Amino acid sequence: MDGASILAKSLADQGVEYMFGIVGIPVMEVAIAAQQIGIKYIGMRNEQSASYAASAVGYLTGRPAVCLVVSGPGLIHALAGMANAKENCWPMMVVGGSSDTNQEQMGAFQEIPQVEAARQYCKLSARPNAVEDIPFYVEKAVRHSIQGRPGVVYLDLPGDLIRAVSQDEERIRWTLRSPEPLISVCPPSQIHIALDTLMSAKRPLLVIGKGAAYGRSEDSLRRFIDQTGLPFLPTPMGKGVVSDNHPQCVSAARSKALLRADVIFLVCARLNWILHFGLPPRFHQNVQFIQLDIAPEEIGNNAPSTVGLFGNVNAIVNQMCQGFEEKFSGKKFERSQPWWKELESKVEDNKQKTQMMIESSGIPMNFYHMYDEICKDLPGGCIIVNEGANTMDIGRTMITHNLPRKRLDAGSFGTMGVGSGFAIAAALVEMNQALKEDRPPCRVVCVQGDSAFGFGGMELETAARYHLPIIFIIANNNGIYNGLDRESYDTVTTEAEQTSLPLVLPPVSLNPNICYEKIMHAFGCRGVEVIQPSELHLSLKEALADTERPSLLHVRIESTSGRKQQEFDWLTKSKL
């Protein structure tokens, strides 16, 4: 067996089902060997999108997919997805071809120190020493990727190792499949302290992070929330672990809930920038945190933790449920409490403001009107991929999720350009799962801003090539955050000298005259321009009816459309 075949068999033995990449020297043989052994190979148009797709498979399935890259620039492009997966704590494996070992330090084709370059984004970055050692390294990589805090691993394979043939196949170090992540629980004393702290609070709050979604804790968390009567809010990708329509969900009062809570139970939600580091002015200065996390070093990070619960989220929430039944049975946090009244009032107030934004829309629509129309037609259980600045932020508030792991967005790293790769991965995983369960697959809908779409727009061809029925929706307000309307843009570009355009065209502005829908026509698929709400309704219905190929809806919205006034900004304001 040669190195490519040994690698492919090792990956299959470890349960790898998907490989995304762009082939070339020296990894062509790896992709072919992977297909021959039953691993689905998806040829992408850019290594960034390939790495985003592989990371999304890891989040959705709990096992790493492979991003296969060529040497030098191929790996460098994939670093974007590696960094994104690292910050999101998703399992992912990158396999990079590299220059032959006998050419090291000679200026070989695309030679860079790849193991060292990848190491800062990985839990493990390594190179097998011999062709017979490849299975050992693959198992080790998968184990590092899924155990503890999930993350990225990198394996470097020089071209001569890929081509090398084992002279004695009995020396190949075949391994067993790496086991599923170990399940750890908390000492009962910690569970009791956490429950006492939570149930003695006057203004308690539960925050559900995407780690709870990854940990498949939806059943136990729903039980705990129903038992306790606590208000909860999810982080963006924690949406759906417990339904957004649950009566105890207070997402519409997010700022108020975070600011006023005196005890907050963080369920696999980190106190990073998404939760404003757990610090004033977004949080009460005397707030107490109960933190549940798979990574002990995360507990107490940025803000002191009153109680730390380290271990498997599903197991520990089940411990909390059992402890509550034993000690607090019948002592639910009642809706008659002043804290509930305060939150309900804010929820209603913000819902009214959102409705006013919908009703104030003209033609072209604003973001709120566009999302309102989209949500009327979205089928239950569909997977939403959502990215862009205002497009994503408003989508987080307007799209409700009733099931876990049905939302993918820029996440903890705030990465723009993930949309196309995420959507392709989600469609493949969902189609495979539906086949196993003998049911129709749920639809994948990718809603992107026009700027975000530009990062991976050519992956439309990938979706068309593999007959993936993804519905791409571009919310086009002509720029980054916002842009110029057509008249203003045409005036600027007509009156200005060609050489002065870089001085006068606003940095946020994109060309409002682009017909994005025509890109889809080039791939033999359906693309539609949408301006009127009735056109959006009809076009989305037609796209949902097409289960054989992707569709694109180019929705022209108001160029100045943005978010309603926020109580606080996500980040420090620009001086502009």
Side-chain angles (χ1 to χ4, degrees), residues 320-379:
M320 296 283 281
C321 291
Q322 183 177 347
F324 185 87
E325 283 184 359
E326 293 171 354
K327 191 169 185 179
F328 295 100
S329 182
K331 296 182 181 179
K332 182 180 289 192
F333 194 79
E334 299 294 343
R335 301 295 286 248
S336 58
Q337 296 281 349
W339 177 228
W340 260 121
K341 298 299 182 185
E342 186 177 344
L343 291 173
E344 288 171 341
S345 175
K346 190 62 178 176
V347 166
E348 187 57 34
D349 180 53
N350 282 340
K351 284 182 177 179
Q352 290 179 10
K353 289 179 180 178
T354 298
Q355 188 59 37
M356 289 172 61
M357 293 292 292
I358 296 169
E359 294 174 355
S360 67
S361 176
I363 302 297
M365 296 173 280
N366 63 23
F367 279 112
Y368 292 89
H369 193 177
M370 179 198 74
Y371 274 118
D372 187 57
E373 293 297 328
I374 289 173
C375 289
K376 291 175 182 176
D377 294 315
L378 285 180

Side-chain angles (χ1 to χ4, degrees), residues 438-506:
D438 192 24
R439 59 170 175 80
C442 298
R443 298 305 299 271
V444 176
V445 180
C446 181
V447 187
Q448 302 167 280
D450 50 326
S451 174
F453 170 75
F455 284 82
M458 273 304 294
E459 301 301 342
L460 293 180
E461 188 275 330
T462 307
R465 188 175 0 122
Y466 290 101
H467 299 278
L468 302 176
I470 302 164
I471 300 172
F472 294 92
I473 300 177
I474 300 176
N476 184 7
N477 63 349
N478 309 331
I480 303 171
Y481 299 108
N482 51 53
L484 300 175
D485 60 37
R486 285 188 176 186
E487 182 179 356
S488 300
Y489 180 88
D490 290 344
T491 299
V492 170
T493 55
T494 301
E495 295 181 355
E497 295 290 336
Q498 185 176 3
T499 55
S500 68
L501 278 175
L503 297 174
V504 299
L505 199 60

Side-chain angles (χ1 to χ4, degrees), residues 144-158:
H144 275 69
S145 183
I146 63 176
Q147 296 290 351
R149 173 184 278 181
V152 186
V153 292
Y154 173 70
L155 290 183
D156 190 75
L157 273 80

Side-chain angles (χ1 to χ4, degrees), residues 109-124:
F109 176 65
Q110 296 182 337
E111 181 185 5
I112 62 168
Q114 294 182 190
V115 175
E116 291 82 358
R119 184 167 285 124
Q120 60 186 319
Y121 305 103
C122 295
K123 293 181 69 177
L124 174 73

Side-chain angles (χ1 to χ4, degrees), residues 122-262:
C122 295
K123 293 181 69 177
L124 174 73
S125 181
R127 172 192 282 187
N129 298 310
V131 68
E132 291 86 4
D133 294 334
I134 289 174
F136 168 82
Y137 277 83
V138 170
E139 188 280 330
K140 187 180 183 72
V142 170
R143 179 159 35 87
H144 275 69
S145 183
I146 63 176
Q147 296 290 351
R149 173 184 278 181
V152 186
V153 292
Y154 173 70
L155 290 183
D156 190 75
L157 273 80
D160 52 338
L161 193 69
I162 292 173
R163 299 187 301 271
V165 177
S166 175
Q167 300 304 312
D168 182 0
E169 293 191 10
E170 291 185 0
R171 295 179 57 197
I172 299 175
R173 299 172 66 182
W174 297 115
T175 60
L176 298 175
R177 174 170 167 148
S178 184
E180 295 301 314
L182 300 173
I183 296 176
S184 55
V185 296
C186 273
S189 58
Q190 286 295 98
I191 298 295
H192 293 148
I193 294 171
L195 286 169
D196 287 341
T197 304
L198 191 59
M199 297 311 295
S200 63
K202 292 182 178 179
R203 299 184 302 277
L205 179 68
L206 190 149
V207 177
I208 301 173
K210 70 174 175 291
Y214 179 85
R216 268 68 177 169
S217 63
E218 50 267 20
D219 291 340
S220 56
L221 263 175
R222 192 179 305 114
R223 178 186 169 199
F224 183 70
I225 286 169
D226 289 339
Q227 277 181 322
T228 59
L230 294 172
F232 75 91
L233 62 85
T235 61
M237 273 193 281
K239 288 167 69 70
V241 174
V242 179
S243 172
D244 288 344
N245 291 320
H246 193 286
Q248 290 162 234
C249 181
V250 293
S251 289
R254 181 184 188 274
S255 294
K256 171 73 75 174
L258 295 179
L259 177 62
R260 294 275 294 139
D262 59 356

